Amino acid sequence: MLKIMNIHNISIDEWLLNEQEHLQYLENEAWLEVPLINATEGHQFRDGTLVRFRGMVQDMYGSEIYMDSYDVTDSEKRSRGCRGKYRDGALTKYGEDIDYDSMKMGDRHCYVVVSVPGLNSWVQQHEKENNTSISESSNSRPKKASKRSIEEVMDVDVCSDKQGQNSSKKQQSHLAEKPEQSEKTPFLSRQHLLNHPLSNDDAKVCHAKFYKDYESIKLNDEIEFVGFLSVQTLLDSSNDNEEENDIEAQTHNPPGSLVPRIHVVSFKPLSYFNHNPNSFDFSNTKKQLHILFTQLLMGDSLSAEYLICHLISEVYLRKDFLTLGKFSLNISKVPIFDDLDYVVEFYKILELLVTKSHYLPFTLENMNTLAFTPKKDYDCNRVTSGLLQLSKNTHFVLDETKMQEGKLDSTGVQNVSALSNTIKFQKVKYDFSHYTIDYDCDIPFLVFSEGKSLLPSDTHISLHTDPSCLSTIKEILEAANHFLRPQLLTDIRRYLIEAKLIEYEFEISDEVRALTQEEFVSMRQNDSGVTAMDLHCLLVLSRLLCLSEGKKTLDKSCWARACEMEKERKARLGK
């Protein structure tokens, strides 16, 4: 019966015998029981087993034609039917030939999926703690000899003569164990093959083969999927094979031990929390978070409020050239301490709160040497990733306090321009050599600087520090870590996620609409430089204040608070 079946040891053939029922059981009952590759050492997995992966779509290789069904005949003309779905090659035994007249072809799409860039360590730990281990998923059923581990597949030498196999068998199976190295074969580094946006050597990458519903998947989407693992090497090992010496073929067919292939049976959008039915105090959690940020920002309550709004912001609508909902923040007048790297210490606490983030010192070396923009590599026929190829809601923290005197070279100028455009328009330009393509993104940028940032921002606030906090900053940082008790830490993480999920309604009551009009008229009378964009910024801020308090519609109190905050912020800037 399906309900008592151990789905972890199911073979591809067994799955195909009753695919719909197996799929229903997987999606409704057994999804989290499937071992997660992200949280498990690769050598523990065996070829042909069902596995789970969580990641971001980094590239799309396009359509592949495969043999969905076909017959094979042996030397005595006996025939048997085979299925090619969820496999890389044909299932021919020695002495068998494919009956090409019986062949029916299918279509599948290949996507490169990488570990989610910037995923913070507490989320990774959460994944490991909730992962079904290989030992837990095993039962007493013996493993088939064909199901070898990743390392076994990669370590076995090809000994065709000893096995009594000829070259025709290799061509029929389309699989080879371990290709001989040719002098003409260029060496492709691990980093080249992983191609991770943040150059994370510990990242995991897989080639995911999708058989249905792949039209909904877009570049940089975060997805979680279950499928059958394939780790055998695809390139032919014969020395005269030009494909082996082709850098594109090697890039698209890397060693299965490094970049396994997963034939997907089911997928869904990735989520970081199963929403706990137990309620928590939304309002009190915001108060506690505000207290924390006020202390970390050295007594600046206003900057703490803006920071909370920044952390829960996300793009909710794109219309014409406007991107609504973004709220990049520049905090200036950041003090420099002789014996403490303030921004780094602040970031250490911030990454405890948000699911994804990346810290980057704004140095000349980084600007002049790093690759920010993804670029099409026509030799390898792939998109080479860049720092800005990030999934939705990855908090990007730029530290301009590390900026030194010097000159940006041409690469540095392009990188600063790429950063500026991404902050302003929430679009990343992908470089296709002779042209560029804009891809939408949703990356909240937080910039710490001494003076006003060189980069644009939606809101710039000057830090107003309490002198007593400057002399006790080490104690404040230590106290902040003690303040974040496990339960409060969990509540804050949940708060920052759920505040974005509130279904905000854009309808404004007549009373509030009259207030906004009066405020805008008053602003124009006092300052002729006030534009419609200032009104837009006020509406965005008031919306975020409502969300931060768990409200679904704009009310008088949030509007009034937004106006007060903006007046105080501009007063600090001398406007």
Side-chain angles (χ1 to χ4, degrees), residues 374-425:
K375 184 174 182 178
K376 179 72 174 183
D377 184 334
Y378 289 96
D379 292 331
C380 297
N381 192 22
R382 72 164 189 188
V383 173
T384 299
S385 62
L387 273 176
L388 293 176
Q389 189 176 11
L390 301 172
S391 59
K392 180 179 179 180
N393 293 328
T394 302
H395 294 269
F396 203 121
V397 179
L398 281 160
D399 185 0
E400 278 193 22
T401 67
K402 302 296 189 299
M403 193 164 52
Q404 324 99 317
E405 291 184 4
K407 184 178 180 180
L408 291 170
D409 60 20
S410 58
T411 299
V413 171
Q414 290 174 2
N415 283 336
V416 172
S417 176
L419 272 173
S420 298
N421 285 330
T422 305
I423 294 172
K424 285 172 65 176
F425 305 112

Short mmCIF file of all heavy atoms in Angstrom, two decimals, residues 374-425:
data_model
loop_
_atom_site.label_atom_id
_atom_site.label_comp_id
_atom_site.label_asym_id
_atom_site.label_seq_id
_atom_site.Cartn_x
_atom_site.Cartn_y
_atom_site.Cartn_z
N PRO A 374 25.64 39.73 -14.56
CA PRO A 374 25.68 38.43 -15.25
C PRO A 374 25.96 38.64 -16.74
O PRO A 374 25.51 39.62 -17.34
CB PRO A 374 24.27 37.86 -15.03
CG PRO A 374 23.77 38.58 -13.81
CD PRO A 374 24.35 39.95 -13.89
N LYS A 375 26.71 37.72 -17.31
CA LYS A 375 27.14 37.89 -18.69
C LYS A 375 27.02 36.58 -19.47
O LYS A 375 27.36 35.52 -18.95
CB LYS A 375 28.59 38.38 -18.73
CG LYS A 375 29.11 38.71 -20.12
CD LYS A 375 30.50 39.31 -20.06
CE LYS A 375 31.00 39.68 -21.46
NZ LYS A 375 32.34 40.32 -21.42
N LYS A 376 26.55 36.67 -20.68
CA LYS A 376 26.44 35.50 -21.55
C LYS A 376 27.83 35.10 -22.04
O LYS A 376 28.56 35.91 -22.63
CB LYS A 376 25.53 35.79 -22.73
CG LYS A 376 25.38 34.64 -23.71
CD LYS A 376 24.55 33.51 -23.13
CE LYS A 376 24.29 32.43 -24.18
NZ LYS A 376 23.42 31.35 -23.68
N ASP A 377 28.22 33.85 -21.78
CA ASP A 377 29.47 33.30 -22.27
C ASP A 377 29.14 32.43 -23.48
O ASP A 377 28.59 31.34 -23.35
CB ASP A 377 30.13 32.47 -21.16
CG ASP A 377 31.50 31.95 -21.56
OD1 ASP A 377 31.74 31.78 -22.77
OD2 ASP A 377 32.33 31.68 -20.66
N TYR A 378 29.47 32.91 -24.67
CA TYR A 378 29.09 32.19 -25.88
C TYR A 378 29.97 30.97 -26.13
O TYR A 378 29.56 30.05 -26.82
CB TYR A 378 29.13 33.14 -27.08
CG TYR A 378 28.01 34.16 -27.05
CD1 TYR A 378 28.21 35.43 -26.52
CD2 TYR A 378 26.74 33.83 -27.51
CE1 TYR A 378 27.18 36.36 -26.47
CE2 TYR A 378 25.70 34.77 -27.48
CZ TYR A 378 25.93 36.02 -26.95
OH TYR A 378 24.90 36.93 -26.89
N ASP A 379 31.19 30.96 -25.57
CA ASP A 379 32.04 29.78 -25.71
C ASP A 379 31.46 28.60 -24.95
O ASP A 379 31.50 27.45 -25.41
CB ASP A 379 33.45 30.08 -25.21
CG ASP A 379 34.19 31.07 -26.09
OD1 ASP A 379 33.90 31.10 -27.31
OD2 ASP A 379 35.05 31.81 -25.58
N CYS A 380 30.94 28.90 -23.74
CA CYS A 380 30.35 27.84 -22.91
C CYS A 380 28.85 27.73 -23.10
O CYS A 380 28.22 26.80 -22.58
CB CYS A 380 30.64 28.11 -21.43
SG CYS A 380 32.38 28.11 -21.01
N ASN A 381 28.28 28.72 -23.80
CA ASN A 381 26.83 28.78 -24.01
C ASN A 381 26.08 28.74 -22.67
O ASN A 381 25.24 27.87 -22.43
CB ASN A 381 26.36 27.64 -24.91
CG ASN A 381 24.92 27.83 -25.37
OD1 ASN A 381 24.40 28.95 -25.36
ND2 ASN A 381 24.26 26.74 -25.75
N ARG A 382 26.39 29.68 -21.82
CA ARG A 382 25.73 29.78 -20.52
C ARG A 382 25.78 31.21 -20.05
O ARG A 382 26.51 32.05 -20.59
CB ARG A 382 26.41 28.89 -19.49
CG ARG A 382 27.78 29.43 -19.06
CD ARG A 382 28.27 28.80 -17.80
NE ARG A 382 29.45 29.49 -17.29
CZ ARG A 382 30.19 29.05 -16.29
NH1 ARG A 382 29.87 27.93 -15.67
NH2 ARG A 382 31.24 29.73 -15.88
N VAL A 383 25.01 31.51 -18.99
CA VAL A 383 25.08 32.81 -18.33
C VAL A 383 26.07 32.69 -17.17
O VAL A 383 25.86 31.92 -16.23
CB VAL A 383 23.69 33.24 -17.81
CG1 VAL A 383 23.83 34.51 -16.96
CG2 VAL A 383 22.75 33.49 -18.96
N THR A 384 27.17 33.44 -17.26
CA THR A 384 28.12 33.48 -16.15
C THR A 384 27.57 34.45 -15.11
O THR A 384 27.28 35.60 -15.42
CB THR A 384 29.51 33.93 -16.63
OG1 THR A 384 29.99 33.00 -17.60
CG2 THR A 384 30.48 34.00 -15.47
N SER A 385 27.42 33.98 -13.91
CA SER A 385 26.71 34.76 -12.88
C SER A 385 27.51 35.98 -12.43
O SER A 385 28.72 36.07 -12.63
CB SER A 385 26.39 33.88 -11.67
OG SER A 385 27.59 33.42 -11.09
N GLY A 386 26.80 36.90 -11.80
CA GLY A 386 27.42 38.09 -11.20
C GLY A 386 26.81 38.34 -9.84
O GLY A 386 25.80 37.73 -9.46
N LEU A 387 27.42 39.26 -9.08
CA LEU A 387 26.97 39.54 -7.72
C LEU A 387 25.51 39.96 -7.63
O LEU A 387 24.86 39.76 -6.61
CB LEU A 387 27.83 40.64 -7.10
CG LEU A 387 29.13 40.23 -6.40
CD1 LEU A 387 29.88 41.46 -5.95
CD2 LEU A 387 28.84 39.32 -5.23
N LEU A 388 25.00 40.55 -8.70
CA LEU A 388 23.63 41.06 -8.66
C LEU A 388 22.59 40.03 -9.11
O LEU A 388 21.40 40.36 -9.18
CB LEU A 388 23.51 42.33 -9.52
CG LEU A 388 24.29 43.55 -8.98
CD1 LEU A 388 24.19 44.72 -9.95
CD2 LEU A 388 23.78 43.96 -7.60
N GLN A 389 23.03 38.82 -9.40
CA GLN A 389 22.07 37.77 -9.75
C GLN A 389 21.59 37.11 -8.45
O GLN A 389 22.08 36.06 -8.03
CB GLN A 389 22.66 36.73 -10.69
CG GLN A 389 21.59 35.77 -11.21
CD GLN A 389 22.10 34.78 -12.22
OE1 GLN A 389 23.31 34.64 -12.42
NE2 GLN A 389 21.20 34.07 -12.88
N LEU A 390 20.63 37.76 -7.82
CA LEU A 390 20.13 37.35 -6.52
C LEU A 390 18.62 37.14 -6.56
O LEU A 390 17.93 37.77 -7.37
CB LEU A 390 20.48 38.40 -5.46
CG LEU A 390 21.97 38.71 -5.26
CD1 LEU A 390 22.14 39.90 -4.33
CD2 LEU A 390 22.71 37.50 -4.72
N SER A 391 18.14 36.30 -5.69
CA SER A 391 16.70 36.05 -5.64
C SER A 391 15.99 37.15 -4.86
O SER A 391 16.61 37.97 -4.17
CB SER A 391 16.42 34.68 -5.02
OG SER A 391 16.96 34.61 -3.71
N LYS A 392 14.69 37.14 -4.96
CA LYS A 392 13.84 38.14 -4.33
C LYS A 392 14.09 38.23 -2.82
O LYS A 392 14.24 37.22 -2.14
CB LYS A 392 12.38 37.80 -4.60
CG LYS A 392 11.37 38.75 -4.00
CD LYS A 392 9.96 38.32 -4.36
CE LYS A 392 8.93 39.24 -3.75
NZ LYS A 392 7.55 38.84 -4.09
N ASN A 393 14.14 39.46 -2.32
CA ASN A 393 14.28 39.73 -0.88
C ASN A 393 15.62 39.30 -0.29
O ASN A 393 15.70 38.93 0.88
CB ASN A 393 13.13 39.09 -0.08
CG ASN A 393 11.79 39.72 -0.38
OD1 ASN A 393 11.70 40.92 -0.66
ND2 ASN A 393 10.74 38.93 -0.34
N THR A 394 16.67 39.37 -1.11
CA THR A 394 18.03 39.18 -0.58
C THR A 394 18.56 40.55 -0.17
O THR A 394 18.77 41.41 -1.03
CB THR A 394 18.95 38.54 -1.62
OG1 THR A 394 18.40 37.29 -2.04
CG2 THR A 394 20.34 38.31 -1.04
N HIS A 395 18.77 40.75 1.11
CA HIS A 395 19.19 42.07 1.61
C HIS A 395 20.67 42.29 1.30
O HIS A 395 21.54 41.54 1.74
CB HIS A 395 18.94 42.16 3.11
CG HIS A 395 17.48 42.13 3.45
ND1 HIS A 395 16.72 43.27 3.56
CD2 HIS A 395 16.63 41.10 3.68
CE1 HIS A 395 15.47 42.95 3.85
NE2 HIS A 395 15.39 41.63 3.92
N PHE A 396 20.93 43.35 0.54
CA PHE A 396 22.29 43.67 0.10
C PHE A 396 22.78 44.85 0.93
O PHE A 396 22.26 45.96 0.82
CB PHE A 396 22.27 44.03 -1.39
CG PHE A 396 23.59 43.84 -2.08
CD1 PHE A 396 23.71 42.99 -3.17
CD2 PHE A 396 24.73 44.51 -1.65
CE1 PHE A 396 24.92 42.81 -3.82
CE2 PHE A 396 25.95 44.35 -2.29
CZ PHE A 396 26.04 43.49 -3.38
N VAL A 397 23.81 44.61 1.75
CA VAL A 397 24.34 45.65 2.64
C VAL A 397 25.67 46.13 2.08
O VAL A 397 26.64 45.37 1.98
CB VAL A 397 24.53 45.12 4.07
CG1 VAL A 397 25.12 46.21 4.97
CG2 VAL A 397 23.19 44.64 4.64
N LEU A 398 25.72 47.41 1.70
CA LEU A 398 26.94 48.02 1.16
C LEU A 398 27.59 48.89 2.22
O LEU A 398 26.93 49.74 2.84
CB LEU A 398 26.60 48.86 -0.07
CG LEU A 398 26.39 48.09 -1.37
CD1 LEU A 398 25.61 48.94 -2.37
CD2 LEU A 398 27.73 47.68 -1.97
N ASP A 399 28.87 48.69 2.42
CA ASP A 399 29.62 49.41 3.46
C ASP A 399 30.55 50.43 2.81
O ASP A 399 31.68 50.12 2.44
CB ASP A 399 30.41 48.41 4.31
CG ASP A 399 31.12 49.07 5.48
OD1 ASP A 399 30.99 50.31 5.64
OD2 ASP A 399 31.79 48.34 6.24
N GLU A 400 30.06 51.67 2.68
CA GLU A 400 30.88 52.72 2.07
C GLU A 400 31.90 53.31 3.04
O GLU A 400 32.76 54.08 2.63
CB GLU A 400 29.98 53.85 1.53
CG GLU A 400 29.40 53.56 0.17
CD GLU A 400 28.78 54.80 -0.47
OE1 GLU A 400 29.15 55.93 -0.09
OE2 GLU A 400 27.91 54.63 -1.34
N THR A 401 31.83 52.92 4.31
CA THR A 401 32.84 53.40 5.26
C THR A 401 34.21 52.79 4.93
O THR A 401 35.23 53.26 5.45
CB THR A 401 32.47 53.06 6.71
OG1 THR A 401 32.52 51.64 6.91
CG2 THR A 401 31.09 53.57 7.06
N LYS A 402 34.26 51.77 4.08
CA LYS A 402 35.53 51.14 3.69
C LYS A 402 36.13 51.78 2.44
O LYS A 402 37.18 51.35 1.96
CB LYS A 402 35.30 49.65 3.42
CG LYS A 402 34.73 48.87 4.57
CD LYS A 402 35.68 48.84 5.76
CE LYS A 402 35.20 47.87 6.83
NZ LYS A 402 33.88 48.21 7.39
N MET A 403 35.46 52.81 1.93
CA MET A 403 35.92 53.43 0.69
C MET A 403 37.23 54.18 0.92
O MET A 403 37.39 54.91 1.90
CB MET A 403 34.84 54.39 0.18
CG MET A 403 35.05 54.85 -1.23
SD MET A 403 33.53 55.57 -1.93
CE MET A 403 33.09 56.77 -0.67
N GLN A 404 38.19 53.99 -0.01
CA GLN A 404 39.47 54.70 0.08
C GLN A 404 39.64 55.64 -1.11
O GLN A 404 38.87 55.61 -2.06
CB GLN A 404 40.64 53.69 0.08
CG GLN A 404 40.38 52.38 0.80
CD GLN A 404 40.01 51.26 -0.15
OE1 GLN A 404 39.23 51.46 -1.08
NE2 GLN A 404 40.55 50.08 0.10
N GLU A 405 40.70 56.47 -1.02
CA GLU A 405 41.01 57.34 -2.15
C GLU A 405 41.59 56.49 -3.26
O GLU A 405 42.28 55.51 -3.03
CB GLU A 405 42.01 58.42 -1.73
CG GLU A 405 41.43 59.45 -0.79
CD GLU A 405 42.43 60.56 -0.49
OE1 GLU A 405 43.53 60.53 -1.09
OE2 GLU A 405 42.11 61.43 0.33
N GLY A 406 41.33 56.89 -4.48
CA GLY A 406 41.84 56.15 -5.62
C GLY A 406 40.95 56.35 -6.83
O GLY A 406 39.99 57.14 -6.79
N LYS A 407 41.26 55.62 -7.88
CA LYS A 407 40.55 55.80 -9.13
C LYS A 407 39.89 54.50 -9.56
O LYS A 407 40.49 53.44 -9.52
CB LYS A 407 41.53 56.26 -10.22
CG LYS A 407 40.85 56.59 -11.56
CD LYS A 407 41.87 57.08 -12.57
CE LYS A 407 41.19 57.40 -13.90
NZ LYS A 407 42.17 57.88 -14.91
N LEU A 408 38.66 54.63 -9.97
CA LEU A 408 37.95 53.49 -10.53
C LEU A 408 38.40 53.27 -11.97
O LEU A 408 38.51 54.23 -12.75
CB LEU A 408 36.44 53.73 -10.52
CG LEU A 408 35.72 53.76 -9.16
CD1 LEU A 408 34.29 54.24 -9.35
CD2 LEU A 408 35.74 52.39 -8.51
N ASP A 409 38.70 52.02 -12.32
CA ASP A 409 39.01 51.74 -13.71
C ASP A 409 37.70 51.52 -14.47
O ASP A 409 36.60 51.71 -13.92
CB ASP A 409 39.95 50.54 -13.83
CG ASP A 409 39.38 49.26 -13.24
OD1 ASP A 409 38.15 49.18 -13.08
OD2 ASP A 409 40.17 48.34 -12.96
N SER A 410 37.81 51.10 -15.72
CA SER A 410 36.60 50.97 -16.53
C SER A 410 35.63 49.93 -15.94
O SER A 410 34.41 50.12 -15.96
CB SER A 410 36.96 50.57 -17.96
OG SER A 410 37.69 49.35 -17.98
N THR A 411 36.18 48.84 -15.38
CA THR A 411 35.33 47.83 -14.75
C THR A 411 34.63 48.41 -13.54
O THR A 411 33.44 48.17 -13.31
CB THR A 411 36.16 46.60 -14.34
OG1 THR A 411 36.76 46.02 -15.49
CG2 THR A 411 35.30 45.56 -13.63
N GLY A 412 35.38 49.19 -12.74
CA GLY A 412 34.80 49.82 -11.55
C GLY A 412 33.67 50.77 -11.89
O GLY A 412 32.63 50.79 -11.22
N VAL A 413 33.86 51.55 -12.95
CA VAL A 413 32.82 52.50 -13.38
C VAL A 413 31.57 51.73 -13.81
O VAL A 413 30.43 52.10 -13.46
CB VAL A 413 33.34 53.38 -14.54
CG1 VAL A 413 32.20 54.21 -15.13
CG2 VAL A 413 34.46 54.29 -14.05
N GLN A 414 31.76 50.63 -14.55
CA GLN A 414 30.62 49.83 -14.98
C GLN A 414 29.90 49.19 -13.78
O GLN A 414 28.66 49.12 -13.76
CB GLN A 414 31.10 48.73 -15.93
CG GLN A 414 31.56 49.25 -17.28
CD GLN A 414 32.16 48.16 -18.15
OE1 GLN A 414 32.20 47.00 -17.76
NE2 GLN A 414 32.65 48.54 -19.32
N ASN A 415 30.68 48.77 -12.79
CA ASN A 415 30.07 48.14 -11.61
C ASN A 415 29.27 49.14 -10.79
O ASN A 415 28.17 48.83 -10.31
CB ASN A 415 31.14 47.49 -10.75
CG ASN A 415 31.64 46.18 -11.32
OD1 ASN A 415 30.94 45.52 -12.08
ND2 ASN A 415 32.85 45.80 -10.97
N VAL A 416 29.81 50.34 -10.62
CA VAL A 416 29.07 51.37 -9.88
C VAL A 416 27.80 51.75 -10.63
O VAL A 416 26.73 51.93 -10.03
CB VAL A 416 29.95 52.63 -9.64
CG1 VAL A 416 29.13 53.77 -9.06
CG2 VAL A 416 31.10 52.29 -8.71
N SER A 417 27.90 51.83 -11.95
CA SER A 417 26.72 52.12 -12.77
C SER A 417 25.68 51.01 -12.65
O SER A 417 24.47 51.29 -12.54
CB SER A 417 27.13 52.30 -14.23
OG SER A 417 26.01 52.48 -15.06
N ALA A 418 26.14 49.77 -12.64
CA ALA A 418 25.22 48.63 -12.51
C ALA A 418 24.52 48.67 -11.16
O ALA A 418 23.30 48.42 -11.07
CB ALA A 418 25.99 47.32 -12.67
N LEU A 419 25.27 48.96 -10.09
CA LEU A 419 24.67 49.08 -8.76
C LEU A 419 23.62 50.19 -8.74
O LEU A 419 22.52 50.02 -8.21
CB LEU A 419 25.76 49.37 -7.72
CG LEU A 419 26.46 48.18 -7.07
CD1 LEU A 419 27.61 48.68 -6.20
CD2 LEU A 419 25.49 47.37 -6.23
N SER A 420 23.98 51.34 -9.29
CA SER A 420 23.07 52.49 -9.28
C SER A 420 21.77 52.18 -10.01
O SER A 420 20.67 52.48 -9.52
CB SER A 420 23.75 53.71 -9.92
OG SER A 420 24.90 54.10 -9.19
N ASN A 421 21.88 51.57 -11.19
CA ASN A 421 20.69 51.24 -11.96
C ASN A 421 19.81 50.22 -11.24
O ASN A 421 18.58 50.32 -11.27
CB ASN A 421 21.09 50.70 -13.33
CG ASN A 421 21.58 51.78 -14.27
OD1 ASN A 421 21.15 52.92 -14.18
ND2 ASN A 421 22.49 51.43 -15.17
N THR A 422 20.45 49.25 -10.60
CA THR A 422 19.68 48.24 -9.88
C THR A 422 18.94 48.85 -8.70
O THR A 422 17.77 48.53 -8.44
CB THR A 422 20.60 47.10 -9.40
OG1 THR A 422 21.32 46.57 -10.52
CG2 THR A 422 19.79 45.99 -8.75
N ILE A 423 19.60 49.74 -7.97
CA ILE A 423 18.96 50.40 -6.83
C ILE A 423 17.79 51.27 -7.29
O ILE A 423 16.71 51.25 -6.69
CB ILE A 423 19.99 51.25 -6.05
CG1 ILE A 423 21.04 50.35 -5.39
CG2 ILE A 423 19.29 52.10 -4.98
CD1 ILE A 423 22.20 51.10 -4.77
N LYS A 424 17.99 52.01 -8.36
CA LYS A 424 16.96 52.95 -8.83
C LYS A 424 15.77 52.26 -9.46
O LYS A 424 14.62 52.63 -9.22
CB LYS A 424 17.58 53.93 -9.84
CG LYS A 424 18.46 54.99 -9.22
CD LYS A 424 19.19 55.78 -10.27
CE LYS A 424 18.24 56.60 -11.12
NZ LYS A 424 18.98 57.45 -12.09
N PHE A 425 16.03 51.24 -10.27
CA PHE A 425 14.95 50.66 -11.09
C PHE A 425 14.60 49.23 -10.71
O PHE A 425 13.65 48.67 -11.26
CB PHE A 425 15.34 50.71 -12.57
CG PHE A 425 15.71 52.09 -13.05
CD1 PHE A 425 17.01 52.40 -13.41
CD2 PHE A 425 14.74 53.08 -13.13
CE1 PHE A 425 17.35 53.67 -13.84
CE2 PHE A 425 15.06 54.36 -13.57
CZ PHE A 425 16.37 54.66 -13.92
#
